[in-house]
């Protein structure tokens, strides 16, 4: 059985920090959500999450009640977790007090803690609900989501097939019972929700949808779309007793990203053909031993191919989900046997460099359309394409794609789909800048004067000189690049001429300065 310290370690320091932990802390029983002005409902050895508490008095009262019930720990967000009265109450009852890092979603924490507990108990069967234990267990995830929304929940795919459901289904209605028994929503029930426009709302939004009670006695529903990477993967349906508070509805909606990630992971793990293909593609891209046999098994034709590198950075912890969603989308776009793999958090697709179905031209057009149709909340993928090469040189195409991807990541290039042949000149400059940085050229000449002036006075003289070198004799274009008036640009250049003695009419001096500035911009740590 997992103890409190073990639970904290499994969740990680990015989410949890122990404030005080008794030396003889035993194993954890369950994860319980406590809300303001409600009994916490904790049992012996439970971990209690103080959701929505805003006052020190509420936190102290929760700790007192948890102590009387012999709970194992109480989790609070700052500043309550470190309040002196709260800490004193925790010590009085020999309770572990854990701080939940500010910004952590309670819904995510419930799932992680429950998953850590279940993982520590081993691979026990979920018996009556037919689920298997382990981090990917959708039934346990359904239970965690049900705790968040405080209502029985079903997790369904895009075709209303039931993938998992929570406990407490006895508190529902005949429509839900039929759904559980038949593993999908009955047609007559679906027809009622379609008539109300529920499914139309699901395809368009991402927030929770409230469906009032039906005339036939069907209880109200709170429905959340499960979406990732612009794709609708399914939905979650909670049977509620009436209107739900905005806070609880938002918390329910927040769990959708976790469920989407688990659905995609589950699909990936059960797709043996895709896993086998990914391993073979990796061999080909690395040029490792056996790559020819791998290419033959993948039925790669003896024609030029390109490597397409796709990077999705969501910035909110859902990178993997968006990456897997993109993988699924590419799978559909290329055909039955997609040449796709993943390495270092980047997707790599190998496509023939030809027109027609399954070729690079068709994939490029599909990628452009897909990216432009993504909603505002979905991160835009960075798509970089390597050179067209024979199959034996695919590792070279991958390296070229990675170089182009570096340009996109650094903001040097702003394109939806960047192709190696269109950017070769920037790659030349990038390599040159890297070599110059390694050679220590930035310590030569007068640039150190401008560098120090910018650092000490807050000026932008290095950027100004770089713009002048890019647009010599054209202060209007150079000023537009810096977003300043041409006269402001001219004034800056005059100030630069007073600070350093440099002959900008000399083509070799201009070339040397450009190499130094490129080195600083594209190889800042060189």
């Amino acid at each position: 059985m997992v103890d409190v310290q073990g639970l904290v370690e499994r969740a990680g320091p990015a989410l949890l920090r122990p404030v005080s932990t008794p030396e003889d802390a035993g194993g954890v029983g369950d994860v319980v959500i406590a809300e303001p002005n409600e009994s916490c409902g904790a049992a012996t050895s439970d971990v209690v999450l103080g959701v929505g508490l805003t006052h020190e008095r509420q936190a102290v009262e929760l700790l007192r009640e948890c102590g009387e019930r012999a709970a194992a720990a109480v989790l609070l967000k700052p500043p309550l977790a470190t309040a002196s009265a709260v800490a004193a109450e925790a010590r009085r009852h020999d309770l572990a007090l854990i701080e939940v890092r500010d910004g952590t979603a309670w819904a995510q924490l419930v799932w992680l803690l429950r998953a850590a507990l279940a993982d520590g108990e081993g691979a026990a069967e979920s018996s009556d609900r037919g689920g298997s234990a382990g981090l990917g267990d959708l039934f346990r995830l359904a239970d965690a989501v049900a705790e968040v929304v405080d209502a029985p929940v079903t997790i369904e795919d895009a075709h209303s097939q039931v993938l998992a459901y929570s406990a407490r289904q006895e508190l529902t209605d005949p429509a839900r019972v039929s759904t559980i028994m038949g593993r999908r929503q009955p047609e007559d029930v679906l027809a009622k929700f379609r008539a109300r426009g529920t499914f139309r709302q699901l395809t368009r939004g991402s927030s929770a949808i409230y469906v009032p009670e039906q005339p036939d006695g069907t209880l109200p529903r709170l429905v959340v779309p499960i979406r990732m990477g612009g794709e609708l993967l399914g939905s979650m349906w909670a049977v509620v007793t009436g209107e739900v508070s905005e806070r609880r509805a938002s918390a329910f909606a927040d769990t959708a990203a976790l469920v989407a990630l688990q659905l995609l992971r589950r699909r990936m793990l059960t797709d043996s053909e895709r896993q086998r293909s990914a391993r073979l593609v990796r061999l080909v891209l690395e040029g490792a031993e056996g790559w020819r046999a791998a290419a033959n098994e993948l039925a790669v034709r003896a024609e030029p191919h390109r490597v397409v590198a796709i990077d999705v950075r969501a910035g909110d912890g859902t990178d993997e989900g968006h990456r897997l969603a993109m993988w699924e989308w590419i799978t559909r776009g290329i055909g039955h046997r997609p040449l796709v793999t993943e390495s270092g958090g980047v997707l790599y697709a190998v496509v023939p460099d030809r027109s027609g179905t399954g070729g690079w031209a068709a994939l490029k057009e599909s990628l452009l359309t897909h990216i432009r149709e993504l909603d505002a909340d979905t991160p835009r993928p960075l798509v970089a394409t390597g050179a067209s090469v024979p199959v034996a040189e695919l590792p070279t195409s991958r390296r070229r794609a990675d170089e182009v991807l570096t340009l996109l990541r650094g903001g040097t290039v702003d394109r939806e789909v960047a192709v190696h042949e269109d950017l070769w000149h920037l790659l030349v400059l990038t390599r040159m800048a890297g070599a110059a940085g390694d050679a220590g050229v930035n310590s030569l000449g007068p640039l150190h004067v401008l560098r120090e002036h910018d650092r000490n006075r807050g000026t932008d003289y290095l950027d100004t000189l770089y713009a002048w070198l890019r647009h010599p004799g054209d202060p209007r274009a150079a000023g537009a690049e810096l977003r300043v008036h041409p006269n402001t640009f001219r004034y800056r250049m005059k100030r630069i001429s007073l600070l350093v003695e440099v002959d900008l009419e000399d083509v070799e001096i201009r070339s040397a300065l450009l190499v130094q500035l490129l080195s600083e911009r594209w190889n800042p740590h060189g």
Side-chain angles (χ1 to χ4, degrees), residues 124-133 137-140 183:
E125 290 296 322
S126 296
S127 62
D128 59 325
R129 286 183 287 153
S132 59
D137 183 5
L138 283 175
F139 284 89
R140 286 203 321 277
R183 291 286 178 163

Side-chain angles (χ1 to χ4, degrees), residues 148-162:
V148 171
V149 73
D150 191 25
V153 167
T154 58
I155 298 175
E156 305 178 12
D157 66 13
H159 305 290
S160 299
Q161 295 280 350
V162 176

Side-chain angles (χ1 to χ4, degrees), residues 26-43:
V28 173
D30 197 2
V31 178
V32 177
I33 295 176
E35 300 204 41
N37 306 318
E38 295 182 14
S39 176
C40 71

Side-chain angles (χ1 to χ4, degrees), residues 156-161 184-203 211 214 223 237:
E156 305 178 12
D157 66 13
H159 305 290
S160 299
Q161 295 280 350
R184 77 182 315 276
Q185 292 202 46
E187 284 301 325
D188 60 328
V189 176
L190 289 173
K192 293 172 186 174
F193 289 123
R194 287 195 191 99
R196 296 193 64 91
T198 304
F199 288 97
R200 186 166 57 253
Q201 290 177 273
L202 277 175
T203 59
V211 183
Q214 308 269 341
V223 191
W237 297 68

